[in-house]
Amino acid sequence: FIKRTPFYGFAVKGGCNDEHHNHNDVGSFIFAKNGAHVFTDPGAGEYTRQYFAKDTRYTILECSSRGHSVPIINGDFQCAGKEFRASSISYENGVFTVDIAGAYDSKGLASLKRSFSFEEDAVTMRDTIDYSGEGTVTERFVTFIEPRPGEGKTVKVGDTVLDYSSNNANPVIGSEKNTQKTTLYFIDFPLERGTTEFTCRIS
């Protein structure tokens, strides 16, 4: 799904985790502003034997869902394979929705419905979580721009503001070098157990 306004460009992916040149990235999204990616896809990794080997490919940041803006369930990332896929995709009344629970191997995760609604100058993401497991859910956002705390419950990524004021969670900022030796930053929101919804506004 692609959306463009004079203020931003946006794309979100459904599909499955067994596509041509696959990355484990069901439900990941890109938000671009002023001609540059803010929340991004890390792109292709360095072409090595490990990059193309089935048993090591998804340990690599660019291929793993740990390098994409998708949740981490009980410390685990998405799984590779055709059976790990999006479902219940719809676009109704200006809201795009996709259930990405099927991309994870987590028996307690009944559904994880990710929706995006759109304003001329902002995008609101809402994850609705039905998780009966004993584990945890961490929301992750990835960017090549170093994030900084903003005013109130916001994080600034360049001139973009991530507003998480409707949640109890607080961000943890980390980073990792990709195979091109470029720093990819993580904005992680560890959710309290029993949390059923996470909402943020990107503008």
Side-chain angles (χ1 to χ4, degrees):
F1 177 88
I2 296 170
K3 174 80 173 180
R4 294 187 181 93
T5 78
F7 296 92
Y8 63 81
F10 172 87
V12 58
K13 180 184 175 298
C16 75
N17 283 336
D18 186 25
E19 297 165 338
H20 191 53
H21 292 287
N22 181 66
H23 295 174
N24 289 345
D25 58 357
V26 171
S28 67
F29 70 93
I30 292 169
F31 180 89
K33 188 175 176 182
N34 297 327
H37 283 196
V38 180
F39 297 109
T40 192
D41 182 291
E46 183 181 6
Y47 282 10
T48 62
R49 182 180 302 170
Q50 292 75 20
Y51 189 80
F52 291 102
K54 196 170 185 179
D55 60 341
T56 54
R57 179 175 178 83
Y58 297 104
T59 66
I60 294 169
L61 180 65
E62 289 92 335
C63 301
S64 170
S65 71
R66 83 176 188 274
H68 293 81
S69 295
V70 294
I72 302 163
I73 307 298
N74 198 23
D76 295 327
F77 304 104
Q78 293 184 6
C79 297
K82 193 172 185 178
E83 68 272 29
F84 297 101
R85 58 174 52 247
S87 63
S88 304
I89 299 171
S90 66
Y91 181 65
E92 297 178 358
N93 301 317
V95 179
F96 175 87
T97 303
V98 57
D99 193 333
I100 64 174
Y104 299 86
D105 186 17
S106 178
K107 293 181 174 63
L109 186 63
S111 69
L112 204 172
K113 292 182 179 177
R114 169 161 283 193
S115 67
F116 296 92
S117 56
F118 307 96
E119 304 167 53
E120 187 75 356
D121 61 351
V123 176
T124 296
M125 187 195 85
R126 176 175 290 106
D127 281 354
T128 305
I129 307 156
D130 184 354
Y131 185 35
S132 60
E134 294 297 321
T136 58
V137 177
T138 298
E139 296 283 356
R140 168 162 287 187
F141 301 83
V142 303
T143 177
F144 285 118
I145 303 168
E146 185 173 2
R148 301 186 183 281
E151 294 183 3
K153 298 188 77 170
T154 66
V155 177
K156 293 199 72 176
V157 184
D159 61 356
T160 296
V161 176
L162 173 66
D163 185 332
Y164 59 95
S165 58
S166 60
N167 306 277
N168 292 326
N170 290 310
V172 177
I173 296 173
S175 65
E176 185 176 340
K177 296 281 188 182
N178 67 6
T179 59
Q180 311 294 335
K181 308 305 181 188
T182 303
T183 301
L184 185 67
Y185 295 94
F186 309 133
I187 307 170
D188 289 347
F189 292 88
L191 305 185
E192 294 181 358
R193 291 183 189 274
T195 299
T196 58
E197 188 172 283
F198 178 87
T199 303
C200 65
R201 185 175 184 268
I202 303 167
S203 61

